Amino acid sequence: MPRTFLTLSLLALAIAHAAPAQITPIPDARAQIPSTQLVPQPKRAEFPAGTLALAGMGIRTVGKAPELGWAARDLRAEWKTRLGAELPDAKASGPAIVIGTLADADLAAKAKAAGLSTTAAEGYALWVDAGGAYIVGADVRGAYEGAQTLRQLLTPAGVRFAKISDAPALKERVAMIYLDQYSKGVNDALIPMLAALKYNAVLVMSNYVQWDTARAGGYAHPGGASKAEARRVAALAREHGLEVIPLIETLGHVQWMYYGGANKDLYQDPDSQNPYAYDTLNPATYSRVLFPILGEAAEVFGAKTIHIGHDEVRNRDRFPARANGKTAGFEKLFVDDTVKIHDYLKSLGVNTMIWHDSAFSDSVIASLPAKLPKDIQVAYWNYAPGNDYPILGQIAGLGFPVLGASWNEEGNADGLADAAVKAGALGMIQTRWTGYFGNPSIWDGQAQQGVAYVRAAGAFWNPEARPMTNAEALYRDFYAPVAYRGTAGATVSLKPLATRSLTDDDEKGWIGKGPDIDLRNLKTGVQQIGAYKFDISGAVMLRGTRGAVSGLPTRASVEIGRRADAIAFLHTTGWPSAVARENIGRYEIEYADGSKLAQPLEYGRHIRAWTDALPTSMIPAPGWAGQTADGLEVAVPVLEWKNPKPTVVIKSVTLVSEGKNANPTLIGLTLIGSGK
């Protein structure tokens, strides 16, 4: 072959790979399907065949408690969101949802007859059959929790038949949230979600609230939430059955009180370049800063308990650093500070909570805890998966109310919650560390911490439950619920464009690693993948830096010739990017009128490798998940692109690779809606 012809052929391959496509209309291109997995999993549940018809259904509460009204409110919201329908008050005849407690003799008798009565705090009996749906709480809080379960039994065809008797294993089930300038956009979605997951308290990071004291002192951070927003969030939480526990970090982690160069005279370490702790021997620490702010917090949040931090006290600054502090010693400084704050809060009728690590470390546990008031609640944090956490029992044995505190690693909340139950702990806290001003990252950036809320909710309520599956999809659905309705569209066959097969029997398919590490378990043909249907025939894998794909094209185009409201892309990368949010390619959408739009592909935000199981963003929806032949957990997400020009015909869609390590790979493309 002449060299010039070969060069031109390779150049054409690198620049463009285009083909017409087979496009097949379908009635359910996108259809949100109700999950059959209840979260948290009830202690006892049966699901007889059948559904209670929706026609003519109404709701009735028996009693006057606010919690019963909240239950009705949440169920009505579920009907509106999922079905686009109203749930009216029940009529004298016809199917009804009845919500009440054992305090009503008639409901108590019905629950007993159904064999589902429970008297445990926050417990409830729930049954759905042809005669209606009943929620009977052991108390009003239990009735509210039962309503959260009933919401998950709703389907487009009716309410699933069920017989459930349930109660929580732990008294306190706490989720940590943040207050910052983005609070409203996040907490208005997060708080109802946490209530639906049966948490009963929120730990609210409140360091940077713009307290009156901080504003007057010149250290109110502009990124902090206003005091009015703090009050609003507290009210919203209480209206969803969540006790509000503000967290204001003290002793250490107090950069908040030095913002803008304020309070330099209160540095614990006068030579610190990044002051971290305060001087406990200066009375102004308390009179000028701590007590006024803690007083404001107690009032704004209506707090029964305030978490004062007191963790990692000696991790940054010298502590003690000043001469008078060195004379007193760390233990006395820590104890005196803790007791001083505890006594002030007690004068306000507020309990004190601290983290465990500084007060119960190996070096001081034999002496320091004995000097602390025994009504201080101690939160023991341990962020590693496991089953053996002996310090929980040790802290309880020293006479303190104790809670476990987990984070986002899978298996952490499950093991620690089980240990908390065995230790007789007060409860559990699901911590979240997304940064003081990073509220939106719970959806886009650090979404794995939002997914952990869902797993932890199941563990805190019922540690004996079977392991949760598909927590990523559940988080997306709880945080941003969508309607249970199908949308017509069309699948697009990518077979003419495919550059790689999903299988790799000869080390020439998929990523060239052989049959043990390929996508053979993602079956071909028209498949339901999450909420979408795709026609799968292979992979349009593009060029990257890896040798196995260095010869592939840099772009591939598919002709569309149709209108659409949105496009769903089932896509991944052959290998991961070493850089979060790296731009690794784009989709170019060309319209029949000659205009073009581009959808960038930022790694971790719009697309991620099939071997990358960490869902840092909820912008892509969970798609297909499975295993390779050698047992590696793999997943392929779905990015839905909303078309801003739905009335204009889409001429073509082109996938473009930037040729980096993370090489974009399109496996399925489906048109959503008809653009009318």
Side-chain angles (χ1 to χ4, degrees), residues 143-427:
Y144 183 66
E145 304 294 17
Q148 307 313 314
T149 300
L150 186 66
R151 291 170 64 180
Q152 298 178 57
L153 296 174
L154 179 64
T155 75
V159 183
R160 292 165 55 200
F161 285 179
K163 294 181 66 175
I164 296 172
S165 183
D166 200 12
L170 289 163
K171 180 180 178 182
E172 299 289 336
R173 304 175 303 283
V174 188
M176 184 174 168
I177 65 174
Y178 281 71
L179 283 170
D180 62 15
Q181 62 184 321
Y182 310 107
S183 172
K184 182 174 176 56
V186 175
N187 286 324
D188 285 17
L190 201 55
I191 285 172
M193 183 195 89
L194 296 173
L197 291 169
K198 297 187 175 68
Y199 287 96
N200 60 7
V202 282
L203 179 66
V204 186
M205 176 61 80
S206 306
N207 287 358
Y208 288 97
V209 170
Q210 295 183 9
W211 304 112
D212 294 342
T213 303
R215 292 171 67 86
Y219 54 95
H221 196 291
S226 68
K227 191 172 174 180
E229 172 64 6
R231 193 183 301 277
R232 188 192 71 84
V233 168
L236 182 67
R238 284 193 295 271
E239 289 164 6
H240 284 82
L242 300 166
E243 179 189 346
V244 182
I245 305 170
L247 168 58
I248 297 178
E249 294 175 300
T250 60
L251 197 53
H253 290 288
V254 295
Q255 295 96 327
W256 57 268
M257 64 188 283
Y258 302 128
Y259 178 74
N263 297 315
K264 291 182 178 180
D265 59 319
L266 304 183
Y267 289 5
Q268 162 60 214
D269 185 347
D271 298 326
S272 177
Q273 299 302 305
N274 183 20
Y276 174 80
Y278 54 66
D279 181 7
T280 63
L281 296 177
N282 188 333
T285 295
Y286 304 94
S287 62
R288 185 201 307 164
V289 179
L290 294 186
F291 288 174
I293 284 179
L294 291 170
E296 286 188 66
E299 186 275 323
V300 165
F301 291 112
K304 299 176 183 176
T305 301
I306 292 181
H307 194 316
I308 62 170
H310 275 54
D311 62 315
E312 301 176 330
V313 175
R314 292 188 282 185
N315 282 26
R316 297 269 192 91
D317 290 348
R318 295 176 298 159
F319 196 118
R322 297 174 182 268
N324 57 355
K326 291 178 180 179
T327 299
F330 169 77
E331 188 166 322
K332 179 171 175 53
L333 295 180
F334 184 97
V335 169
D336 288 353
D337 173 78
T338 307
V339 171
K340 190 174 295 186
I341 296 174
H342 164 273
D343 289 352
Y344 172 73
L345 291 178
K346 193 169 186 178
S347 73
L348 302 178
V350 176
N351 297 317
T352 298
M353 184 185 292
I354 63 172
W355 300 116
H356 84 285
D357 56 290
S358 292
F360 294 84
S361 67
D362 291 343
S363 62
V364 299
I365 194 170
S367 55
L368 192 156
K371 302 170 186 175
L372 296 177
K374 292 298 187 293
D375 61 350
I376 291 178
Q377 298 175 22
V378 179
Y380 165 71
W381 59 265
N382 189 316
Y383 300 151
N387 298 104
D388 187 20
Y389 303 91
I391 297 181
L392 271 173
Q394 195 172 358
I395 295 171
L398 290 170
F400 294 90
V402 64
L403 300 92
S406 50
W407 197 16
N408 65 324
E409 191 166 347
E410 194 164 354
N412 177 216
D414 306 76
L416 192 52
D418 185 58
V421 171
K422 292 174 181 174
L426 184 62

Side-chain angles (χ1 to χ4, degrees), residues 388-632:
D388 187 20
Y389 303 91
I391 297 181
L392 271 173
Q394 195 172 358
I395 295 171
L398 290 170
F400 294 90
V402 64
L403 300 92
S406 50
W407 197 16
N408 65 324
E409 191 166 347
E410 194 164 354
N412 177 216
D414 306 76
L416 192 52
D418 185 58
V421 171
K422 292 174 181 174
L426 184 62
M428 282 288 298
I429 301 170
Q430 179 60 21
T431 66
R432 171 180 150 209
W433 304 107
T434 51
Y436 292 118
F437 312 108
N439 239 332
S441 69
I442 197 66
W443 183 257
D444 179 22
Q446 300 188 60
Q448 70 274 16
Q449 298 200 45
V451 175
Y453 279 136
V454 179
R455 290 197 302 263
F460 295 0
W461 182 273
N462 183 6
E464 297 180 355
R466 61 183 178 275
M468 188 178 297
T469 60
N470 211 16
E472 181 184 347
L474 289 166
Y475 170 53
R476 184 183 177 89
D477 193 47
F478 274 107
Y479 186 95
V482 297
Y484 292 149
R485 69 168 70 98
T487 301
T491 59
V492 179
S493 173
L494 300 173
K495 189 173 183 178
L497 287 82
T499 58
R500 288 290 168 89
S501 63
L502 301 179
T503 58
D504 190 12
D505 293 325
D506 55 3
E507 297 189 359
K508 294 180 181 179
W510 192 227
I511 62 169
K513 295 293 184 181
D516 290 337
I517 185 164
D518 64 16
L519 271 179
R520 68 182 55 241
N521 289 328
L522 175 51
K523 302 304 181 184
T524 57
V526 177
Q527 303 288 340
Q528 181 81 40
I529 305 290
Y532 305 86
K533 279 191 175 170
F534 293 99
D535 186 352
I536 299 170
S537 55
V540 185
M541 184 175 284
L542 299 186
R543 178 182 295 181
T545 57
R546 299 283 180 137
V549 293
S550 61
L552 293 179
T554 58
R555 56 196 296 131
S557 297
V558 57
E559 297 174 11
I560 301 298
R562 286 173 176 258
R563 297 183 181 92
D565 299 315
I567 303 175
F569 300 102
L570 178 67
H571 65 191
T572 186
T573 66
W575 291 268
S577 171
V579 181
R581 305 297 177 97
E582 180 183 31
N583 184 16
I584 60 103
R586 65 188 178 276
Y587 289 108
E588 294 177 348
I589 294 88
E590 183 176 359
Y591 294 93
D593 64 4
S595 60
K596 292 183 180 180
L597 291 174
Q599 167 61 54
L601 296 177
E602 296 176 25
Y603 188 85
R605 190 164 194 242
H606 305 113
I607 193 170
R608 64 180 190 266
W610 64 299
T611 55
D612 187 349
L614 192 66
T616 57
S617 177
M618 286 289 114
I619 289 177
W624 179 84
Q627 292 184 331
T628 61
D630 63 1
L632 178 67

